[in-house]
Amino acid sequence: MPDRTPNSSFAQPRVRSGIRPGVSLVEVLFSLTVIALISAASTAAIRMMAKNGGDAEKAAQDRATLSIVLNRMRQELTSALTVTELTSGSITFATPDISGSASNTVRYTRSGSQLTRQVNGAAAVVLLDTCDDFKLLADVEGTLSPPANADSAELLLVEHQTYLLPPITTSELSLTATSLVAQTFTPGDVTAQSFKVSRARLMVRRTTTTSGNLVLEIRPTRSGTDDPASTVIDRTLLALSSLSTTAAWVDVPFATASALTIGTEYALVMSSDISFTYTRVTADTASLSQVADGTLYRRSTDGGSTWTPVPVTAALTDARFQLYGRYQTTDQSGTRTVQSGRLKSLLVHIAATFSGKSAALDGGAVCLNQPNLAGFVANNLPLIKPLP
């Protein structure tokens, strides 16, 4: 009988599979899958960490590039002596060189898509190839010129065309170098700053002559009276040859009208520059009191030395005329210049694209020398806050 003890040389060899007795093949495969997934996830996480670290490093490098540009501007602006150009996207200024013995004129501007720096008019050096934005904001301390006055549309200031109540007699008044006719007026738009007379319209004619001129003047009135003073504010001429021999309305423009004071009485004075009675202005005469139309008639026969209210034969007389002008109001939107002003500081905003990624940086510079900005147009200055 053969020996079948464990020590027998005929015993079967034992195989060490590493699998516990009773574990199925499915369980084995599942364990291997889990191990593979964990390994893959760990590898992905490591790669993501490496990528994120690379992105953060790249972003830091991009911001460092912007910071270098900004710091260079800050250094130069801090010691700026004068500023000759300042807009929302450009600045030109003089600054000492590193030794302080001379000065350089430096210009920063965004040209197309590039941010450039130019020194002493030499070729501009590109600081950023793809500059998406470059903005400047100035903090200026100083004073502005007064707001400009804006003219209104031309308006009828005052007129006399006829009386409302009969009986009315129409006549003509002769105009010569010594025979003067005046009509007073006082525009009353109290909301305006001033006004200008732009033109007068007269019902006027000439007789036979074509020489000489019709003369129209704007004068103040004498204190305490309605009589025209001798001072002439505005004066305009119209050739008699342009007048008809039949009375008609004629426009006479004031080409260089002066600004006149609201609420002050003035006079339109009519005459001619010849001594003959060849010019006649139409007038109305009434014997009854009339509704006030904002104008008073005055007449002088001695060249303006003395004036009388009306001819002795009439109770009331007014020449037919219209006076047009423009009221002036303060226009805050008009161009105003810096009368005195100094640049205290400048804020800078830079945005650029690096390898398809956008980066932006804001910074500022305190201008220790506070360069003078007098003469700059305030409307074009990129101000942090408006000047007073």
Side-chain angles (χ1 to χ4, degrees):
M1 172 81 58
D3 186 3
R4 299 183 183 276
T5 63
N7 295 325
S8 171
S9 59
F10 295 98
Q12 297 293 325
R14 294 180 180 179
V15 179
R16 301 177 66 89
S17 63
I19 301 175
R20 290 182 291 107
V23 177
S24 67
L25 181 60
V26 172
E27 290 177 306
V28 172
L29 293 174
F30 176 77
S31 298
L32 294 174
T33 302
V34 170
I35 293 171
L37 289 174
I38 292 173
S39 176
S42 299
T43 302
I46 292 171
R47 288 177 179 173
M48 181 63 71
M49 291 173 63
K51 181 178 183 301
N52 289 343
D55 288 347
E57 183 179 357
K58 182 65 171 59
Q61 290 175 351
D62 296 343
R63 287 180 62 84
T65 300
L66 293 182
S67 180
I68 291 171
V69 174
L70 192 60
N71 285 335
R72 186 171 196 174
M73 287 187 63
R74 181 186 290 116
Q75 280 184 326
E76 293 175 332
L77 283 166
T78 297
S79 58
L81 301 172
T82 59
V83 175
T84 55
E85 176 195 22
L86 180 55
T87 68
S88 60
S90 298
I91 183 169
T92 302
F93 57 93
T95 184
D97 66 9
I98 193 169
S99 67
S101 60
S103 63
N104 294 320
T105 300
V106 183
R107 184 173 193 258
Y108 285 90
T109 188
R110 182 172 176 241
S111 178
S113 62
Q114 296 178 326
L115 179 63
T116 63
R117 176 179 178 270
Q118 186 181 35
V119 180
N120 296 330
V125 176
V126 177
L127 301 179
L128 295 172
D129 279 318
T130 308
C131 182
D132 302 321
D133 200 7
F134 179 62
K135 288 182 180 177
L136 302 173
L137 285 175
D139 182 9
V140 179
E141 183 178 25
T143 58
L144 293 178
S145 61
N149 286 333
D151 290 346
S152 71
E154 188 180 57
L155 302 170
L156 179 64
L157 301 177
V158 68
E159 67 175 346
H160 172 79
Q161 295 201 57
T162 187
Y163 295 121
L164 296 177
L165 303 175
I168 302 169
T169 301
T170 301
S171 60
E172 292 183 322
L173 303 170
S174 298
L175 302 178
T176 68
T178 55
S179 294
L180 286 62
V181 171
Q183 295 284 161
T184 66
F185 61 95
T186 310
D189 186 349
V190 295
T191 64
Q193 303 297 315
S194 59
F195 72 96
K196 295 179 179 179
V197 177
S198 55
R199 62 187 170 99
R201 296 189 75 216
L202 303 180
M203 179 72 76
V204 66
R205 72 180 182 94
R206 64 175 173 84
T207 54
T208 57
T209 187
T210 57
S211 62
N213 298 283
L214 172 66
V215 180
L216 296 184
E217 296 172 337
I218 303 296
R219 301 187 189 184
T221 56
R222 293 172 180 167
S223 178
T225 74
D226 296 311
D227 298 338
S230 58
T231 303
V232 176
I233 300 173
D234 286 319
R235 190 172 192 262
T236 188
L237 306 177
L238 181 68
L240 295 184
S241 58
S242 65
L243 300 180
S244 171
T245 56
T246 303
W249 286 102
V250 174
D251 283 284
V252 187
F254 286 87
T256 56
S258 301
L260 304 178
T261 304
I262 296 293
T264 299
E265 185 181 56
Y266 297 92
L268 173 66
V269 179
M270 312 166 221
S271 65
S272 73
D273 55 5
I274 58 177
S275 59
F276 303 101
T277 58
Y278 292 144
T279 312
R280 290 175 170 80
V281 61
T282 302
D284 295 328
T285 301
S287 58
L288 298 176
S289 298
Q290 302 289 329
V291 178
D293 58 8
T295 183
L296 294 173
Y297 167 86
R298 289 293 182 268
R299 176 79 185 209
S300 175
T301 57
D302 56 8
S305 296
T306 58
W307 296 84
T308 55
V310 293
V312 293
T313 57
L316 187 63
T317 296
D318 279 299
R320 289 188 182 179
F321 82 106
Q322 292 179 315
L323 205 59
Y324 288 84
R326 301 179 187 275
Y327 287 104
Q328 297 176 298
T329 55
T330 300
D331 182 10
Q332 296 290 346
S333 65
T335 298
R336 301 177 67 184
T337 59
V338 180
Q339 286 183 320
S340 64
R342 296 192 173 276
L343 180 61
K344 298 171 61 180
S345 62
L346 199 70
L347 294 184
V348 184
H349 170 76
I350 306 177
T353 299
F354 302 92
S355 302
K357 297 287 186 178
S358 295
L361 193 63
D362 295 319
V366 175
C367 301
L368 298 179
N369 295 315
Q370 296 196 5
N372 189 3
L373 291 182
F376 276 69
V377 178
N379 307 63
N380 297 335
L381 283 177
L383 297 177
I384 297 174
K385 55 188 177 183
L387 285 164

